[in-house]
């Protein structure tokens, strides 16, 4: 077997490559699976971003806690969404929406009075307009779900199953196409996030506790990622560009915008916890976590 020159330590930089068993080269196996390569690339990118960060708000992990207590499992409860669809419960949540709109606004940029989050977007900074449109789209989605399943079985207009209330839909949304546009805007944000996280979603190990369900979930995710929605609709994704956010005139201004953006969204998720109707709170939390997750991916 090859050996180092006399007097040269076997592990020195000048020593020849040794071998293990006879005829076996002593080389590292650097092959990686797709999942391992993706993890390495993400780690390298994270280190690059951390090295280029001018402030704490520029770090990749800054937006990880967009939602209040979204990582806490204390008191968590598993609920079957199929058995608990979003529909009319008779709960009046107008005070919740008013709180979301009126009590959450940026305190920088325009000097407009507090409570303008419910009004038109004129005078708002770009970041505030994005949050307003997401909140409005969320509101529109909730309204549609209620209008679609308004009359319970056995009640007026209900028959043997849940029935819609077209008059309510037209009164609440049909006469306000700008609110429907905000709903479409929310979908664009969600789809941009899904497209960006496509590789991760394909490789993620889904664990439901049931092997058959795990396989079905993985197949459904891949079917969605392979569908024409993310390709044919790509031009529509330009309706939102997250890279245009937080273009402050200075590092301090950019940091302030990010803190305000995150603070406002977290405040909205806290207000959701005040919803007294359990079914309503369930779907409000689901929507807020969905938007929060999309923003984490994009930002």
């Amino acid at each position: 077997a090859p050996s180092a020159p006399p007097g040269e330590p076997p592990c020195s930089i000048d020593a020849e490559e040794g071998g293990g068993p006879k005829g076996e080269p002593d080389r590292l196996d650097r092959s990686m699976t797709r999942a391992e390569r993706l993890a390495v690339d993400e780690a390298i990118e994270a280190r690059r971003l951390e090295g280029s960060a001018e402030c704490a708000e520029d770090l990749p992990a800054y937006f990880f806690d967009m939602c209040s207590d979204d990582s806490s499992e204390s008191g968590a409860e598993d609920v079957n969404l199929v058995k608990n669809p979003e529909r009319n419960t008779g709960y009046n949540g107008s005070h919740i929406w008013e709180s979301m709109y009126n009590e959450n606004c940026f305190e920088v940029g325009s000097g407009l009075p507090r409570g303008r989050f419910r009004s038109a977007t004129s005078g708002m900074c770009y970041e505030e307009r994005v949050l307003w449109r997401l909140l409005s789209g969320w509101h529109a989605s909730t309204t549609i779900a209620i209008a679609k399943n308004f009359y319970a079985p056995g009640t007026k207009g209900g028959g043997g199953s849940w029935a819609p209330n077209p008059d309510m839909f037209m009164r609440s949304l049909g006469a306000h196409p700008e609110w429907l546009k905000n709903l479409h805007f929310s979908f664009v944000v969600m789809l941009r996030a899904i497209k960006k996280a496509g590789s991760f979603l394909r490789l993620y190990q889904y664990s439901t506790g049931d092997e058959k369900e795990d396989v079905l979930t993985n197949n459904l995710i891949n079917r969605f990622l392979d569908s024409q929605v993310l390709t044919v609709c790509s031009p529509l994704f330009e309706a939102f560009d997250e890279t245009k956010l937080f273009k402050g005139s200075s590092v301090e201004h950019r940091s302030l915008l990010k803190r305000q953006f995150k603070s406002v969204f977290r405040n909205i998720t806290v207000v959701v916890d005040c919803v007294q109707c359990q079914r309503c709170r369930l779907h409000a939390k689901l929507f807020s976590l969905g938007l929060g997750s999309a923003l984490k991916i994009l930002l």
Side-chain angles (χ1 to χ4, degrees):
S3 61
E8 189 73 36
C11 296
S12 75
I13 195 171
D14 294 322
E16 297 181 20
E17 286 190 5
K22 196 171 185 179
E24 179 179 323
D26 187 13
R27 296 188 178 90
L28 295 175
D29 182 355
R30 293 183 170 83
S31 60
M32 293 186 184
T33 65
R34 288 181 59 196
E36 291 168 341
R37 171 52 60 190
L38 179 63
V40 170
D41 291 343
E42 289 178 345
I44 292 174
E45 178 65 9
R47 288 197 295 269
R48 184 190 69 79
L49 292 174
E50 288 180 2
S52 62
E54 297 182 281
C55 56
E57 291 77 13
D58 284 344
L59 294 175
Y62 179 70
F63 288 106
F64 281 7
D65 57 344
M66 284 287 290
C67 302
S68 65
D69 299 326
D70 61 353
S71 60
S72 174
E73 296 185 0
S74 59
E77 181 182 1
D78 292 329
V79 177
N80 189 329
L81 294 176
V82 176
K83 295 181 179 179
N84 297 275
E86 188 174 17
R87 58 194 180 199
N88 180 30
T89 64
Y91 177 72
N92 184 356
S94 57
H95 62 295
I96 298 294
W97 290 111
E98 286 300 318
S99 180
M100 289 181 176
Y101 282 116
N102 294 339
E103 296 182 15
N104 294 279
C105 62
F106 285 29
E107 297 301 322
V108 296
S110 65
L112 292 176
R114 204 168 169 78
R116 66 182 184 276
F117 219 46
R118 187 67 168 97
S119 60
T121 58
S122 59
M124 294 182 181
C125 63
Y126 181 71
E127 292 75 14
E128 196 171 12
R129 293 200 306 273
V130 168
L131 279 178
W132 184 86
R133 295 197 68 183
L134 289 176
L135 182 55
S136 176
W138 176 1
H139 197 169
S141 175
T142 301
T143 302
I144 290 174
I146 293 174
K148 181 181 178 181
N149 297 282
F150 189 85
Y151 294 111
T155 62
K156 178 183 177 181
S161 60
W162 284 84
N165 186 338
D167 292 337
M168 177 199 170
F169 172 82
M170 291 304 299
R171 183 174 63 254
S172 302
L173 285 176
H176 302 279
E178 69 278 9
W179 294 348
L180 290 174
K181 288 182 180 179
N182 291 337
L183 175 63
H184 297 157
F185 176 80
S186 298
F187 288 159
V188 167
V189 173
M190 295 292 290
L191 289 174
R192 277 183 74 97
I194 291 172
K195 185 176 183 179
K196 184 175 181 179
S199 298
F200 174 82
L201 294 174
R202 286 184 190 279
L203 299 173
Y204 187 78
Q205 298 297 314
Y206 298 97
S207 178
T208 65
D210 184 322
E211 292 185 4
K212 291 183 178 179
E213 287 295 324
D214 294 345
V215 173
L216 177 60
T217 300
N218 186 70
N219 290 338
L220 289 174
I221 291 294
N222 284 318
R223 183 185 301 177
F224 175 66
L225 294 174
D226 292 333
S227 70
Q228 295 183 344
V229 174
L230 298 181
T231 53
V232 175
C233 297
S234 290
L236 299 179
F237 293 175
E238 303 305 317
F240 172 66
D241 183 358
E242 63 276 6
T243 62
K244 294 181 180 179
L245 289 165
F246 315 123
K247 297 296 184 181
S249 56
S250 63
V251 174
E252 292 76 15
H253 188 217
R254 184 174 73 246
S255 299
L256 183 57
L257 285 173
K258 288 187 175 183
R259 289 197 300 271
Q260 290 280 355
F261 189 93
K262 178 177 168 180
S263 175
V264 167
F265 192 87
R266 281 181 62 89
N267 286 344
I268 290 173
T269 64
V270 169
V271 172
V272 168
D273 293 328
C274 299
V275 177
Q276 296 177 330
C277 166
Q278 290 188 3
R279 187 186 294 263
C280 306
R281 184 167 65 249
L282 167 67
H283 288 279
K285 292 288 286 186
L286 186 65
F287 207 104
S288 67
L289 287 173
L291 283 181
S293 298
L295 291 173
K296 291 179 193 180
I297 293 170
L298 294 174
L299 301 180

